Amino acid sequence: MNEAQQERLRSVRRDLHSYPEPAWREFYTTSRIVDEIERIGVDQLYLGRDVVDGDARMAVPDDDELEEWRAKADEAGAREDVLEAAAGGFTGAMAVLEQGEGPTVALRVDIDALPITESNSVAHTPAAEEFRSTNEGYMHACGHDAHATIGLGVLEAVKESDFRGTFKVVFQPAEEVIGGGKAVAESGHLDDVDHLLAIHIGLDHPTGEIVAGVGGFLAVRQFQATFTGETAHAGGHPAQGRDAVQALATAVQNLHAIRRHGDGATRVNAGVVEGGTATNIVPGEATLEGEVRGETTPLKEYMSERADTVMSSAAEMHDCEVAIETTAEAPSAMSDDALADVVYDAADSVPGVTSRLRTDDLGGSEDATYLMDRVQDHGGTATFVGIGTDHPGGHHTPAFDVDADSLAIGVDVVSEAIRRLSK
C-alpha cells in the first residue's frame, strides 16, 4: 500500500472518530461510509431495511432519540438520501463486488460507538491533533472507526486485485449493545457465503501482530428486570408498603451466589440498579439491568435460567412482582481452523507484520458470532481475525486510541487472505 492510500485511510478513520454515534444511531457514519463505497464503485449497495431483518433488531432506542441523532447527523452534513434510507434507526450498509466465477467471501466490520466521554488530555492524540469526538459523552473507545476504515480499504484492495468471485462487506450497526448481529444474520445476505471473516483491532495485541482465528467467545444474555411493589409512607404506614428496592437488593445479592458450572466459565453482573423517589417513601418500583455469560451457549442458558429463578424468587419473598425482559443476546462461536490457516499464511507476506498467532481467546462477547454461526450452519467457514494495535489505555476507556499504522496492516492482511481464497 502506497503512502497516498495510507493517508486516505488515516483521514477516513479520523473523520469517523470525530463523529461517533451509538447503536442504531450511526446516521452520519453510514453516510460517510456510503460516500467512500460510491467513490470505490461497487456492483450492489444495500442500505436501510435492505441490510437487516427489522424484526430481529435488539436494543433499539425510542423514536424521539433516533430522530434527535438523525437531526444531528443532518446538521453535520450527512446525505439526505442516506438519512431517508436509515430512518427509524436502520443504519449500516452492505457493499457487493461481483468479479467472475469463484467463491462468495464476506467481511464483517462494526461501526457503532460507546457512551464514554473522550479524554481531553494533550497526551491523547485525538485531542492533541483535533479529531477528538464532537459528540460529547460518546466516543469510539473500541476501535469501530478503525474497523469501518479497514473494511473500506479491503473493499478497494479486493476490487483492484485479481480476486475472482463475489465479495461482500457488511458494515454492521449496533455491536456494542449486541443488537445488530442477529438482524444481519436473519437478513439472508450471508446464506450463500462460503467464507466469512470478521475483524477486531487491538484486543491487547501490539501493532504488527495478527491473530488468525480468535476464539473464546462468551455467549451472553442481557436483561432488564422491573420489580413492582406498593408505595407507602415510610414513617407513618411502613407496613402498607411492598418494598421493590428490597426485592431488587435480594436479587442482586443472590445473582452473585449462582453456582458456577463445572463444564466451563460462567459470568453474572448486575450493572445498573435504580429505584426509589424519596427517603420517606417505601419504593414501589425498582429496575435492574444485568447480564449473564457462558463459555458455551448451553452454559449461558444455564445461567439465564438460574438468574430468572433468582429474580422471581426475590420478588416473591418481598411480596412484589417482577417483569424480566431480554434486551440483547448472542451465542458463542468457533473460528474454523482451515480459514484461520489462510489468514495466518497470508499475514506472513505482509510488510509490517512482526508476529502471528494462530489463535487466542477473546475473553468477552461479540455478536459477530451470529454471523459466524449462520455461515457455518449453511456449510461455509468463518474466522474472527485480531489485528494488533498499540493503544494507550484499555478498550472502553476515555484514552483509547489506535495506531494509524495498523490500518494498512489490517487492510493488507485481510485483502491478501481474501485474494488467496479465490485461488
Side-chain angles (χ1 to χ4, degrees):
M1 181 178 295
N2 62 42
E3 179 57 35
Q5 292 170 319
Q6 292 184 50
E7 180 55 37
R8 184 167 194 89
L9 290 177
R10 287 192 289 267
S11 176
V12 170
R13 182 255 161 174
R14 288 186 172 206
D15 187 7
L16 295 176
H17 185 88
S18 69
Y19 206 91
E21 298 163 302
W24 302 120
R25 287 150 282 185
E26 309 96 328
F27 296 105
Y28 178 87
T29 304
T30 300
S31 178
R32 188 69 184 85
I33 288 168
V34 170
D35 285 342
E36 290 298 308
I37 291 173
E38 291 185 347
R39 179 189 64 80
I40 294 166
V42 297
D43 296 293
Q44 297 178 59
L45 171 60
Y46 296 92
L47 293 174
R49 288 170 169 79
D50 293 331
V51 178
V52 299
D53 180 339
D55 293 334
R57 294 190 303 165
M58 293 184 283
V60 182
D62 61 37
D63 291 342
D64 289 344
E65 186 168 357
L66 290 171
E67 181 53 35
E68 177 186 341
W69 281 88
R70 182 188 181 281
K72 290 172 67 173
D74 188 26
E75 290 180 10
R79 293 167 39 164
E80 184 56 40
D81 59 335
V82 176
L83 291 177
E84 183 177 346
F90 284 87
T91 48
M94 187 177 80
V96 182
L97 294 173
E98 297 174 351
Q99 297 189 181
E101 293 295 322
T104 297
V105 183
L107 171 65
R108 176 271 199 180
V109 295
D110 42 16
I111 65 173
D112 57 324
L114 285 156
I116 295 175
T117 299
E118 186 163 10
S119 172
N120 265 316
S121 169
V122 293
H124 182 55
T125 299
E129 299 189 12
E130 299 183 345
F131 64 97
R132 180 185 177 274
S133 170
T134 57
N135 284 332
E136 198 65 25
Y138 295 86
M139 71 171 287
H140 276 294
C142 199
H144 295 191
D145 51 341
H147 299 172
T149 301
I150 291 171
L152 291 166
V154 172
L155 181 67
E156 186 164 18
V158 170
K159 182 181 179 180
E160 295 174 352
S161 76
D162 60 356
F163 171 83
R164 289 296 172 264
T166 299
F167 179 50
K168 304 179 180 184
V169 184
V170 178
F171 297 88
Q172 183 209 298
E175 186 279 329
E176 293 292 2
V177 296
I178 323 175
K182 182 178 182 181
V184 171
E186 295 293 333
S187 72
H189 282 303
L190 301 180
D191 291 356
D192 63 346
V193 168
D194 299 298
H195 310 291
L196 169 73
L197 294 90
I199 64 169
H200 205 299
I201 203 160
L203 304 178
D204 299 320
H205 294 277
T207 298
E209 186 159 271
I210 297 296
V211 185
V214 174
F217 296 98
L218 299 178
V220 60
R221 174 205 177 200
Q222 296 177 342
F223 58 83
Q224 177 174 300
T226 302
F227 294 85
T228 305
E230 188 74 35
T231 60
H233 193 292
H237 302 284
Q240 294 178 9
R242 293 183 291 124
D243 194 332
V245 167
Q246 194 173 19
L248 180 149
T250 299
V252 171
Q253 188 76 6
N254 290 338
L255 282 170
H256 288 279
I258 294 175
R259 291 189 304 276
R260 298 302 180 257
H261 203 289
D263 289 348
T266 55
R267 304 281 191 272
V268 63
N269 187 54
V272 179
V273 292
E274 299 176 328
T277 56
T279 61
N280 61 349
I281 299 173
V282 175
E285 185 172 290
T287 58
L288 161 64
E289 295 178 30
E291 67 175 24
V292 292
R293 303 187 193 225
E295 188 173 331
T296 64
T297 301
L299 286 172
K300 182 262 291 182
E301 294 300 331
Y302 160 79
M303 292 296 290
S304 290
E305 292 170 4
R306 295 300 305 141
D308 286 354
T309 298
V310 163
M311 290 184 287
S312 297
S313 298
E316 182 179 1
M317 177 185 296
H318 296 287
D319 195 22
C320 293
E321 295 79 42
V322 63
I324 305 168
E325 175 190 3
T326 297
T327 55
E329 59 183 339
S332 60
M334 294 288 292
S335 290
D336 285 292
D337 290 341
L339 185 53
D341 285 345
V342 174
V343 176
Y344 184 84
D345 292 341
D348 193 41
S349 67
V350 172
V353 173
T354 56
S355 60
R356 300 174 294 158
L357 301 176
R358 288 192 179 274
T359 188
D360 190 27
D361 283 350
L362 179 70
S365 302
E366 243 279 359
D367 71 357
T369 54
Y370 273 116
L371 285 71
M372 295 169 70
D373 285 353
R374 183 82 175 200
V375 169
Q376 291 165 336
D377 288 346
H378 284 76
T381 63
T383 191
F384 194 92
V385 181
I387 299 166
T389 193
D390 297 329
H391 54 85
H395 290 265
H396 295 205
T397 65
F400 181 84
D401 190 22
V402 303
D403 177 1
D405 290 345
S406 60
L407 300 174
I409 294 171
V411 170
D412 288 346
V413 169
V414 174
S415 59
E416 174 61 17
I418 290 166
R419 190 187 69 82
R420 293 186 182 204
L421 288 169
S422 71
K423 299 302 181 182

